[in-house]
């Protein structure tokens, strides 16, 4: 397997942090050419700081981290401290990161990187609202055909919504950005709640990470101890869902996931269903397919992969 060049666009977030760690632990398969941060779970000053903390914890400080957009394209920012805590990374003891922030704005970094790299070589992994990416697409449409693939965590069909009854958080926060991306014709792979709600960090799985005994294993377990509270209370589920790591797991082991290549449109107007991913799962329209929309996952395979990789850090 040749190393895949990736840019991780993220709003950490405990589950974003686990996704970043999974990628950092997989240098044989993934070449992380940059991490770009966006406002989402918490405001931008915290998401960029959290991304730097995560790289510090993993002692992988040679990755450039860029701060990007601090608000959605056409709306005020909505955040999710009720899920992630005040810092966005509540759980472990946090510290001032030593890693510097790169000077270049995330949007400029995405544009410059895609213009510089050979066509079809870079994969964008998005773990938060799509503001940075859509802004780059709008400003520099020439980069769109240069992407190999965009793999995102976002949306839902059978699970419908988590931030409203109809919408998933990443899409809801910046639906106009999501619309730009879904209409862009970029090869798109989507990890919706339908998949991520099956990837539950049960006590046993979190304890297996803690039992690694390493700084990263314990840090990950402490993040997940905090993160599970909200979803366990809300859904009565057996642990919190590891949404964002599904994106990285897909790059490492695509065979863990199953889905359908279908049409997905974004609701940008209705007050009631704003940010809904209207997925034509049953193919009842003649709208052209624009996304590989995942529906199922091998959960045990996912956690075997995650634990084995976190053990490497
Ligand atoms: C998504 O929203 C955030 O809270 C998580 O980090 C994830 O990216 C799940 O809806
Ligand atoms: Ca996220």
């Amino acid at each position: 397997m040749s190393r895949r060049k990736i840019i991780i666009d993220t709003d950490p977030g405990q589950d974003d942090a686990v996704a970043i760690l999974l990628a950092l632990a997989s240098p044989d398969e993934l070449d992380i050419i940059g991490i770009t941060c966006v406002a989402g779970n918490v405001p931008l000053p915290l998401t960029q700081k959290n991304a730097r903390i995560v790289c510090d914890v993993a002692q992988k400080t040679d990755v450039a981290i860029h701060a990007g957009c601090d608000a959605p394209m056409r709306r005020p920012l909505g955040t999710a401290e009720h899920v992630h805590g005040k810092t966005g990374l509540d759980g472990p003891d946090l510290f001032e990161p030593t890693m510097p922030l790169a000077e270049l704005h995330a949007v400029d970094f995405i544009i410059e990187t895609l213009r510089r790299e050979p066509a079809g070589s870079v994969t964008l992994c998005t773990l938060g609202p799509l503001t940075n990416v859509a802004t780059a697409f709008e400003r520099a449409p020439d980069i769109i055909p240069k992407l190999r693939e965009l793999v995102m965590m976002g949306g839902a069909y059978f699970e419908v919504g988590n931030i409203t009854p109809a919408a998933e958080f990443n899409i809801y926060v910046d639906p106009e950005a999501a619309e730009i991306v879904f209409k862009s014709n970029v090869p798109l792979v989507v990890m919706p709640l339908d998949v991520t709600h099956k990837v539950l960090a049960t006590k046993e799985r979190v304890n297996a990470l803690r039992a690694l005994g390493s700084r990263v294993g314990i840090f990950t377990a402490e993040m997940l101890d905090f993160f599970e509270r909200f979803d366990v209370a809300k859904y009565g589920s057996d642990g919190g869902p590891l949404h964002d790591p599904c994106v990285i797991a897909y790059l490492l082991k695509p065979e863990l996931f199953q889905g359908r290549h279908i049409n997905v449109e974004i609701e940008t107007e209705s007050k009631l269903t704003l940010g809904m991913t209207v997925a034509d799962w049953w193919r009842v329209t003649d709208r052209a397919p624009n996304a590989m929309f995942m529906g199922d996952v091998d959960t045990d395979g996912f956690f075997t992969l995650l634990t084995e990789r976190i053990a490497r850090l």
Side-chain angles (χ1 to χ4, degrees):
M1 191 179 186
S2 64
R3 286 178 89 212
R4 211 194 241 238
K5 290 181 187 176
I6 64 169
I7 297 173
I8 302 177
D9 189 74
T10 177
D11 63 334
Q14 293 89 347
D15 61 321
D16 301 72
V18 179
I20 294 169
L21 290 171
L22 180 57
L24 290 171
S26 307
D28 291 345
E29 295 97 339
L30 303 178
D31 175 8
I32 308 173
I33 53 180
I35 296 178
T36 53
C37 300
V38 68
N41 287 322
V42 284
L44 184 69
L46 287 172
T47 61
Q48 56 92 345
K49 181 178 172 189
N50 291 345
R52 292 186 293 133
I53 289 175
V54 173
C55 291
D56 265 352
V57 169
Q59 292 182 287
K60 300 273 186 186
T61 50
D62 53 350
V63 186
I65 299 185
H66 301 262
C69 301
D70 61 4
M73 295 181 87
R74 328 224 192 282
R75 299 171 186 272
L77 176 66
T79 51
E81 285 87 355
H82 60 295
V83 182
H84 300 271
K86 235 167 73 189
T87 63
L89 220 52
D90 277 21
D93 285 337
L94 300 178
F95 53 89
E96 268 313 305
T98 58
M99 252 194 99
L101 188 64
E103 265 176 35
L104 199 60
H105 190 282
V107 172
D108 296 317
F109 172 76
I110 292 170
I111 294 172
E112 287 181 20
T113 305
L114 285 165
R115 283 185 174 157
R116 187 185 60 238
E117 294 289 337
S121 66
V122 178
T123 298
L124 262 174
C125 305
T126 67
L127 314 179
L130 290 153
T131 319
N132 285 341
V133 172
T135 304
F137 282 9
E138 203 172 58
R139 211 181 283 167
D142 57 290
I143 66 173
I144 299 171
K146 293 204 70 185
L147 268 170
R148 170 169 167 180
E149 203 171 39
L150 192 155
V151 186
M152 75 160 69
M153 190 281 134
Y157 178 66
F158 294 98
E159 289 285 298
V160 199
N162 61 354
I163 188 72
T164 75
E168 181 280 328
F169 179 80
N170 290 341
I171 306 295
Y172 177 77
V173 168
D174 199 342
E176 285 77 17
E179 186 179 43
I180 289 172
V181 171
F182 276 84
K183 284 194 185 306
S184 69
N185 284 325
V186 74
L188 199 55
V189 178
V190 181
M191 293 291 164
L193 297 180
D194 309 328
V195 167
T196 69
H197 278 176
K198 293 175 181 154
V199 182
L200 297 179
T202 59
K203 282 253 164 336
E204 206 186 350
R205 289 167 177 154
V206 175
N207 284 338
L209 289 162
R210 199 184 332 269
L212 294 173
S214 60
R215 184 178 184 204
V216 177
I218 293 167
F219 188 90
T220 305
E222 288 176 351
M223 286 195 296
L224 297 181
D225 285 342
F226 180 90
F227 185 56
E228 71 162 20
R229 288 177 209 177
F230 177 77
D231 282 275
V232 169
K234 179 171 160 196
Y235 297 108
S237 56
D238 187 14
L242 282 191
H243 305 284
D244 295 337
C246 289
V247 168
I248 306 298
Y250 172 77
L251 301 183
L252 298 171
K253 278 200 160 201
E255 65 274 17
L256 292 176
F257 298 90
Q258 281 182 343
R260 292 185 179 193
H261 192 230
I262 56 168
N263 177 271
V264 182
E265 306 281 334
I266 309 297
E267 176 57 56
T268 58
E269 281 166 24
S270 157
K271 259 195 190 158
L272 203 55
T273 59
L274 183 70
M276 188 172 193
T277 41
V278 181
D280 190 6
W281 182 264
W282 300 111
R283 300 194 175 105
V284 293
T285 74
D286 56 6
R287 296 197 281 259
N290 58 349
M292 184 67 194
F293 197 84
M294 294 303 179
D296 213 350
V297 54
D298 169 358
T299 305
D300 287 334
F302 171 93
F303 277 98
T304 301
L305 173 72
L306 179 70
T307 311
E308 182 254 315
R309 293 301 163 105
I310 295 295
R312 295 184 188 182
L313 290 171

